[in-house]
Amino acid sequence: MRQRAAITAKTLRTDRWWFAPLITVIGLGAWVTYATVRVFMHDFYWVEDYHYLTPFYSPCVTETCVPEAAHFGRVLPGWWIIPDAALTLPFLLLFRLTCYYYRKAYYRSFWLSPPACAVPDGHKTYSGETRFPLVGQNLHRYAFYAAVIISLINTWDAVLAFHSPKGFGFGLGNIVLLVNVVMLWAYTLSCHSCRHIAGGRLKHFSKHPVRYRFWTFVSKLNVRHMQLAWITLGTLALTDFYVMALSADWFNDLRFIN
């Protein structure tokens, strides 16, 4: 009877398997830190002249919001602990946290479960996503619907931004807002839940040609879901920083029309 080799090393990998988890920790950690600081600043989120509203404050619904930026009314008290976009941020957070790619990212990087292939898990026991709080990952399919509504709101914000003191206007800020909205739609539609909704339960694609075409389109986006997840973190931070810089008068918007 053959016996297993007596190997005491935790892993035989000699490459830099730890590099990818480390970069993920740094990237996600930096973005969360920046977003948290910005959300609770309660300032520099609105450019009056051009109607630029950062996505971190959309929709602005607390009493601290300037009336011009509160497109859907100010329905929450203006306590500093309440984000100005408190009606949407929890759903966006839930959508991102339960995303299939982000699960893999923070499971491997923050929880070391496992950190890489052929590397031991950082935990002695494994229960999957069957216990609290991980059983809540199943809410992803419902958070998707909220993400669609929020993407529509962000699209509306981008449309309203074609404004200037002289009427219609177009500047670099509009390009920044539009690129962010397009990327957010691409990430949202590339979601695995969206792909399942589009055609997951169909038995005969030939009987549903429209849904089949949409499913095909979503499937192509789904292949890039990981890249879109990171790209949208970048466009969100860039858009917010640009609006903040204009609102704080660090520099002026580059205008092409009015």
Side-chain angles (χ1 to χ4, degrees):
M1 182 177 179
R2 295 182 179 180
Q3 296 181 347
R4 293 182 179 271
I7 300 175
T8 57
K10 291 185 177 181
T11 179
L12 297 180
R13 291 186 60 170
T14 57
D15 62 321
R16 296 188 301 173
W17 58 264
W18 47 266
F19 185 73
L22 176 62
I23 291 298
T24 301
V25 168
I26 294 174
L28 290 180
W31 193 90
V32 170
T33 301
Y34 172 83
T36 302
V37 171
R38 281 292 293 133
V39 163
F40 290 103
M41 280 182 66
H42 300 286
D43 201 359
F44 306 130
Y45 57 87
W46 170 251
V47 180
E48 172 64 25
D49 286 344
Y50 310 122
H51 289 194
Y52 292 165
L53 177 63
T54 171
F56 284 5
Y57 285 72
S58 177
C60 209
V61 293
T62 69
E63 293 178 352
T64 59
C65 298
V66 296
E68 295 79 9
H71 303 147
F72 297 89
R74 298 183 292 178
V75 298
L76 296 179
W79 302 334
W80 74 268
I81 196 64
I82 300 179
D84 291 314
L87 293 184
T88 55
L89 287 179
F91 295 101
L92 283 176
L93 180 62
L94 180 64
F95 182 61
R96 296 270 176 169
L97 280 177
T98 59
C99 166
Y100 287 105
Y101 165 69
Y102 283 118
R103 291 190 219 180
K104 183 185 83 169
Y106 63 76
Y107 283 0
R108 290 185 176 184
S109 57
F110 289 91
W111 295 353
L112 304 177
S113 183
C117 295
V119 178
D121 196 302
H123 304 80
K124 295 182 179 180
T125 59
Y126 174 78
S127 60
E129 296 175 344
T130 60
R131 298 180 181 178
F132 181 84
L134 296 186
V135 69
Q137 303 285 29
N138 294 312
L139 294 174
H140 182 64
R141 69 192 71 177
Y142 305 108
F144 164 76
Y145 297 109
V148 170
I149 296 175
I150 296 169
S151 294
L152 289 172
I153 295 174
N154 292 148
T155 303
W156 178 245
D157 292 337
V159 172
L160 290 179
F162 287 97
H163 173 88
S164 78
K166 298 181 181 179
F168 175 81
F170 180 69
L172 180 58
N174 294 103
I175 296 178
V176 172
L177 288 168
L178 285 174
V179 170
N180 179 61
V181 165
V182 170
M183 290 297 101
L184 287 178
W185 274 116
Y187 168 69
T188 303
L189 295 179
S190 70
C191 169
H192 295 75
S193 293
C194 180
R195 185 170 182 267
H196 177 73
I197 292 169
R201 294 185 177 182
L202 296 181
K203 295 182 179 180
H204 304 284
F205 278 126
S206 60
K207 295 182 179 180
H208 305 273
V210 176
R211 290 183 63 182
Y212 172 69
R213 290 184 180 181
F214 182 63
W215 177 84
T216 303
F217 170 73
V218 170
S219 297
K220 292 179 180 179
L221 287 177
N222 182 256
V223 176
R224 306 295 181 188
H225 194 52
M226 178 184 74
Q227 292 89 334
L228 291 169
W230 281 102
I231 289 172
T232 50
L233 291 185
T235 59
L236 281 166
L238 175 63
T239 304
D240 175 78
F241 182 83
Y242 190 80
V243 173
M244 176 177 64
L246 294 180
S247 179
D249 292 326
W250 295 348
F251 52 78
N252 296 323
D253 187 33
L254 177 61
R255 305 299 294 176
F256 306 117
I257 301 176
N258 290 334

